Amino acid sequence: MKLDFPRYIERIGAVNINSIQKVYELDSGKSEEYHNTYRTIRKINDEELLDIFNKLAIIIPIKDEKLKLLEGVLSGIPHDCLVIIVSNSQRYPIDRFKMECDILQQFTRFVDRDAIIIHQKDPVLADIFRDLEYTSILDGDIVRDGKAEGMIIGMIIAKMLNKEYVGFVDADNYVPGAINEYIKIFGSGILMSQSPYSMIRISWLYKPKIVGKSFYFAKWGRISDVTNRYLNEVISYHTGFETEIIKTANAGEHALSMKLAELLTYSSGYSIEPYEIVNIIEEFGCILPSKYPDVIQKEGVEILQIETQNPHIHEDKGNEHLSRMLKESLSCIYFSKICNKSIRWKIIKELRSAKAITHDQLSPLPTIKPFNTIDIQKFANRIGDSTIRFYGNMERYIKYYTV
Ligand code: GDD
């Protein structure tokens, strides 16, 4: 893969937000002939990527998606990445979770690789979280519904298995080749990052729609366009310089180093992606008191945004779904202490005109505390293979995991 270095960087305290980088070649040929020093383009070799893939867990949150799409997504994930599926699919009257398990088992057997699947609503998982005092992920006596909650469970399992990086891909993607590119971008971004506390966010080249009888290659999704604008307003307010740096506010496809992932506070459901950026600025932007002064002093945090060559084609879940996503995305900005009164007022106006709220009042979404507060060995000791299902070669994981 060949991609360029960022052209400029927005700095807020100890946070570096890089401008969009572009993929020039999906496959960049032999390694010897190219020297990376002093160039504007970085060549990433296959061997470098393979090394990262061995340390990378790919988490797929899934809720009642078409199984054919899941099969396609699995086929696009590079062989050496560990797959972790966290499902919130229905169990009754049809057990869709069981169907997902069957597909995963068959897939791992045929291609000879490792994968894990777990159900978000497994009562044993909720019991473990309660006993380990990680209750912010619960709703009563069970894990709360929501994509964020699924992603966090995946990250905790990845940490238990000593993975150094986590990446996320949605289960409803129609193009396996795009999934493959996203994950190569995750690996390339990790290799290009200057800080061990890094996040790599995917920006799609296009998100095609069918308009009339032909394709229209839209650049921005309807929600990300708005969320980008408000995040940029917040950053501009604090730096005093107007910016358009954020282009990936709602990037469902993104990756994090485990070092950064375990420090963040997360926001529930679909607000997780914009709130990751908000929380990074809250914790490391030197605007509010931080829980992590050491990271601010030493390495800092880096956010990379990388544009694909593949278009993004996924399931269209309708207007009501988009409206909910808009409300959740803007709500997590609205309630942050880094937001100001005038931006809050504009958010309310925006949500009212989009008919996402009927009254002026917004309520805060639940937040989920950093998972570095969990004793991971105790988690590993408690979780059994009736809750977490391993397919493939379990042997290599057994040392982290005692039934
Ligand atoms: N485990 C779990 N639990 N997974 C869930 C849940 C849940 O409660 N709800 C949704 N998912 C899964 C879906 O099955 C899918 O694989 C993925 O999360 C994304 O959810 P969608 O409902 O398909 O979201 P979307 O496609 O409209 O939006 C996606 O793209 C946005 C950017 O355009 C999401 O990734 C958003 O988070 C993202 O902002």
Side-chain angles (χ1 to χ4, degrees):
M1 180 162 268
K2 260 186 208 151
L3 57 165
D4 55 8
F5 286 95
R7 270 155 211 266
Y8 67 98
I9 299 170
E10 200 74 64
R11 296 182 168 84
I12 310 134
V15 183
N16 282 3
I17 307 176
N18 295 355
S19 63
I20 288 278
Q21 294 166 246
K22 191 174 150 55
V23 171
Y24 285 79
E25 268 190 323
L26 294 172
D27 179 340
S28 50
K30 265 184 155 179
S31 48
E32 301 92 84
E33 300 133 29
Y34 199 89
H35 305 284
N36 283 312
T37 340
Y38 307 125
R39 292 195 185 245
T40 50
I41 303 278
R42 165 79 149 93
K43 176 176 174 164
I44 309 284
N45 296 323
D46 287 352
E47 306 80 66
E48 293 179 280
L49 280 179
L50 277 180
D51 180 48
I52 297 292
F53 291 161
N54 275 296
K55 302 170 184 164
L56 173 65
I58 295 297
I59 298 166
I60 311 174
I62 185 167
K63 187 174 182 191
D64 300 325
E65 300 293 353
K66 292 178 183 148
L67 298 172
K68 283 267 178 251
L69 296 187
L70 174 63
E71 282 177 325
V73 167
L74 288 171
S75 73
I77 299 173
H79 184 88
D80 293 288
C81 301
L82 173 68
V83 170
I84 302 178
I85 299 182
V86 186
S87 173
N88 194 13
S89 298
Q90 71 171 47
R91 309 292 314 260
Y92 311 102
I94 294 171
D95 192 347
R96 291 191 66 85
F97 175 62
K98 182 176 178 304
M99 292 174 173
E100 291 158 3
C101 293
D102 291 348
I103 280 181
L104 193 64
Q105 185 169 30
Q106 192 199 22
F107 172 74
T108 52
R109 185 181 301 139
F110 270 79
V111 300
D112 188 20
R113 64 185 289 177
D114 307 326
I116 286 168
I117 185 165
I118 188 166
H119 200 278
Q120 183 166 337
K121 290 295 178 65
D122 190 315
V124 176
L125 186 61
D127 283 348
I128 299 172
F129 284 138
R130 195 175 314 99
D131 294 350
L132 298 181
E133 295 177 9
Y134 194 66
T135 50
S136 51
I137 200 167
L138 301 179
D139 178 16
D141 53 9
I142 205 87
V143 170
R144 198 169 32 243
D145 277 319
K147 182 188 177 223
E149 286 72 359
M151 288 163 62
I152 293 164
I153 293 167
M155 288 192 273
I156 295 167
I157 293 170
K159 181 177 175 185
M160 173 180 100
L161 299 173
N162 264 357
K163 292 291 165 185
E164 290 176 37
Y165 305 100
V166 282
F168 304 96
V169 293
D170 290 347
D172 61 344
N173 196 306
Y174 277 88
V175 189
I179 296 285
N180 190 259
E181 185 188 7
Y182 299 155
I183 297 168
K184 286 185 175 151
I185 289 178
F186 295 164
S188 305
I190 289 165
L191 287 162
M192 289 180 84
S193 172
Q194 306 288 311
S195 166
Y197 299 87
S198 62
M199 169 183 269
I200 294 92
R201 300 173 73 97
I202 300 286
S203 168
W204 309 303
L205 185 57
Y206 296 111
K207 205 171 173 182
K209 298 182 174 52
I210 294 171
V211 180
K213 284 188 179 164
S214 53
F215 269 130
Y216 175 69
F217 287 86
K219 182 82 188 145
W220 305 111
R222 280 177 283 177
I223 308 302
S224 35
D225 198 20
V226 181
T227 321
N228 285 340
R229 186 151 39 84
Y230 283 99
L231 278 181
N232 283 322
E233 275 212 40
V234 171
I235 294 169
S236 306
Y237 164 71
H238 286 288
T239 60
F241 291 87
E242 199 168 357
T243 185
E244 291 190 341
I245 191 80
I246 300 288
K247 305 279 191 201
T248 56
N250 289 88
E253 276 71 21
H254 65 284
L256 286 151
S257 64
M258 186 60 79
K259 279 188 162 196
L260 178 60
E262 67 175 352
L263 301 184
L264 297 184
T265 297
Y266 293 92
S267 182
S268 180
Y270 292 107
S271 63
I272 180 165
E273 286 96 7
Y275 191 68
E276 281 166 347
I277 296 182
V278 170
N279 188 245
I280 285 175
I281 300 174
E282 289 172 339
E283 289 294 353
F284 308 100
C286 304
I287 298 167
L288 308 173
S290 173
K291 290 197 277 297
Y292 314 111
D294 270 11
V295 179
I296 291 180
Q297 266 279 306
K298 293 177 188 148
E299 293 97 340
V301 173
E302 191 173 3
I303 301 175
L304 292 88
Q305 308 180 90
I306 303 178
E307 187 182 84
T308 61
Q309 284 294 345
N310 277 279
H312 188 76
I313 304 177
H314 70 139
E315 281 281 274
D316 187 344
K317 308 248 164 79
N319 284 339
E320 207 175 301
H321 175 72
L322 288 180
S323 186
R324 175 180 160 203
M325 204 177 284
L326 180 69
K327 184 175 162 188
E328 293 190 3
S329 298
L330 295 190
S331 160
C332 71
I333 302 174
Y334 180 99
F335 285 103
S336 169
K337 286 188 179 142
I338 61 171
C339 191
N340 69 20
K341 211 171 157 186
S342 105
I343 300 174
R344 285 197 183 113
W345 181 77
K346 285 190 203 169
I347 288 177
I348 293 291
K349 262 183 71 181
E350 182 85 48
L351 289 173
R352 287 194 71 160
S353 77
K355 299 198 170 38
I357 53 170
T358 42
H359 308 290
D360 282 357
Q361 208 52 47
L362 258 185
S363 16
L365 293 163
T367 53
I368 302 148
K369 70 179 183 181
F371 60 86
N372 69 349
T373 55
I374 295 179
D375 182 330
I376 206 71
Q377 194 54 55
K378 283 191 183 153
F379 180 84
N381 292 344
R382 285 283 309 275
I383 199 151
D385 52 10
S386 60
T387 305
I388 191 170
R389 298 176 196 198
F390 282 87
Y391 298 118
N393 178 6
M394 252 185 77
E395 288 301 306
R396 75 178 88 173
Y397 299 114
I398 209 91
K399 60 184 167 196
Y400 307 113
Y401 168 74
T402 21
V403 187

